[in-house]
Amino acid sequence: MSTQEYVFLAFAFFGGFGMFIFGMHIMAEGLQKSAGDKMRNLLALLTNNRLLGVLVGTVVTVIVQSSSATTVMVVGFVNAGLMNLVQAVGVIMGANVGTTVTAWIVSSSEWAVFLKPDKIAPMVVGIGATMLFFLREKRQKQVGEILIGFGLIFIGLEYMKDAITPFKDAQAFKDAFLMLGHHPFFGILAGFLVTAIVQSSSASVGILQTLAAQGLVPWSAAVYIILGQNIGTCVTALLSSIGASKMAKRAAVIHLLFNIFGTLLFTVGTIVYFKTVGSAQGAVIIGMTGISIFHTVFNISNTVLLYPFADKLVYLSEKIVTGKDVEEEREEIIALRHLDNRILESPTFAVENAIKEVVHMGELAVENVRTAVEALVTKDEGLVEKVFQREKDINALDKMITDYLIKISNTPLSEKQQIVITNLFHTVTDLERVGDHAENIAELAAYYKEKDLTFTPEAMEEFGQISRKAIETIELAIQARRDNNPKLVPKVEDSEEEVDALEELLRQRHIERLAANLCNTVTGVVFLDSISNFERISDHALNVAYFVKDEAI
């Protein structure tokens, strides 16, 4: 062949590979959007039950179509404090099982009896594109994305196979794979390097299956390459753990240890097998389905074998990554790591994590209101300073959460998730304003102390009454946000109306006391400004609750 023909074949192979991995990406996005709340419910299963962790890891990997993405998310969850190492072990094991699904999708072109995927792929892309661009229902558009991704996978594979076809009789290729089959170290190294470079074991297995479809790969070479691919897939998680907490680094190390131990066990076993009873089998050419079978057997067997030793993996990771995470001494820790970019690999989980942080911000704001109230009642300057310091934390969270929400909004979201993100933007603003009102009350408390003012017994009782009701209102709203419970919204409405009525009543009563010279004007200003702040706090609480109600429609 001429140089030009070689160049065109290289273009075809890399173009096909590009369509293949892009198809995987598009299909994964469609699956995630379609899964929506179902993926969200998986977080609730992340208990210390490792078996449930394996299930979650398997399902998530099937949806995101990448064990690397799942393990990167695991590192993010551990770094964010949403998952401990015991839970992480199960999810990592499940991720290895879930990644086998992609190989079976690819090999279906060999064993599918009717409507072979590689033959109908162009039509599938056409149907998907029609649904995506001409149908209005979001669910139908999501199905269209899945179909486009599915079709592109097989179109890409066909381009790759066609580019390799002229070389299927080349002795150099055959000799190279025979060498990899006879030297396990080089076979494992080849699988490791390719996977580390493309950052996806599913993609590297797809490349191997493409080569196998042309009759170039013997069983022994395929086995060792697949074993190397399972170590190579750990590189992504290890890289993502750089700069993370020690616990997150341990999660990445657990992934590496799990795959290394499994690879060592199978390497020894397969070497013995190919050197003895299976010597002839090692030279037999493997097909795409054969690769899927071994890939599945390896990952499931590895999980079954090492499952009882999960605690040992945790122990080893702690010995490799020593020391404890340094915690800040402040009572309220504003941890940017809670808004971990790794979790953006799955927008559904990222949305849930953002909700948790918004709730955390709300809890800080409520605590600040309580502290401000106590500061005024007790005239404690230390509490006033505590309010001011916590308000800085709330403002910092406001910026961090807003930045994170912007990042989430740039990921593929379902229609409902887009509504949630928009509402979270507004909720953060309302909670920041609640913090501002707490700061206002603290400033009034400082003035109250400085001027040595004193409320009348009636005013003090009324101050306590409206402050308790305002705090109850914002607590109900935050609970509704935390639990995604629109049934609490009517309670928030009732409570907010009580605060409004109280504010109007107490304002009138205090004006009457001023008129009767029962308290001075300066004290009156502090009282009236305070109850006005409580009324505004309840207004913001109602806004927060209405956003939850809006999402339920």
Side-chain angles (χ1 to χ4, degrees), residues 377-542:
V377 172
T378 61
K379 297 184 179 180
D380 188 329
E381 292 179 341
L383 291 177
V384 170
E385 286 304 315
K386 195 170 184 178
V387 171
F388 292 158
Q389 184 58 60
R390 192 182 284 133
E391 173 61 14
K392 292 179 182 177
D393 293 345
I394 293 170
N395 289 337
L397 263 181
D398 175 21
K399 183 180 185 306
M400 288 189 289
I401 294 174
T402 300
D403 289 345
Y404 196 68
L405 291 175
I406 291 171
K407 291 176 183 177
I408 298 176
S409 66
N410 290 322
T411 63
L413 299 171
S414 67
E415 186 175 17
K416 184 173 182 180
Q417 288 169 337
Q418 289 170 347
I419 293 172
V420 171
I421 291 299
T422 300
N423 289 344
L424 289 179
F425 274 115
H426 297 308
T427 299
V428 167
T429 301
D430 278 296
L431 294 177
E432 193 275 331
R433 292 295 297 134
V434 170
D436 288 346
H437 289 299
E439 187 177 36
N440 292 344
I441 296 169
E443 289 171 349
L444 291 170
Y447 183 76
Y448 188 73
K449 162 72 175 176
E450 179 188 345
K451 299 299 182 182
D452 194 25
L453 304 176
T454 302
F455 285 160
T456 63
E458 294 83 0
M460 185 60 74
E461 182 180 345
E462 292 168 352
F463 178 85
Q465 185 181 7
I466 192 171
S467 65
R468 286 191 296 272
K469 180 55 66 173
I471 291 172
E472 177 188 325
T473 308
I474 186 64
E475 284 181 328
L476 278 171
I478 292 171
Q479 183 183 347
R481 176 70 281 171
R482 180 195 303 112
D483 301 337
N484 191 33
N485 185 2
K487 292 181 180 179
L488 290 176
V489 176
K491 292 184 179 180
V492 178
E493 289 176 320
D494 292 343
S495 189
E496 191 273 338
E497 288 176 3
E498 286 185 50
V499 174
D500 285 350
L502 264 176
E503 194 268 345
E504 187 175 343
L505 174 64
L506 301 187
R507 181 177 294 277
Q508 182 59 40
R509 285 180 180 177
H510 203 74
I511 291 173
E512 291 173 359
R513 282 195 292 271
L514 285 170
N517 291 319
L518 296 177
C519 64
N520 62 49
T521 305
V522 178
T523 305
V525 169
V526 173
F527 181 84
L528 294 175
D529 282 355
S530 296
I531 65 173
S532 176
N533 276 285
F534 290 131
E535 191 273 333
R536 293 298 298 139
I537 287 171
S538 67
D539 287 345
H540 290 296
L542 187 60

Side-chain angles (χ1 to χ4, degrees), residues 61 108 152 161 167 180 237 264 387-388 396 422 440 445 471 504 515:
T61 305
S108 64
L152 285 177
K161 285 192 285 186
F167 303 100
L180 294 177
L264 288 174
V387 171
F388 292 158
T422 300
N440 292 344
I471 291 172
E504 187 175 343

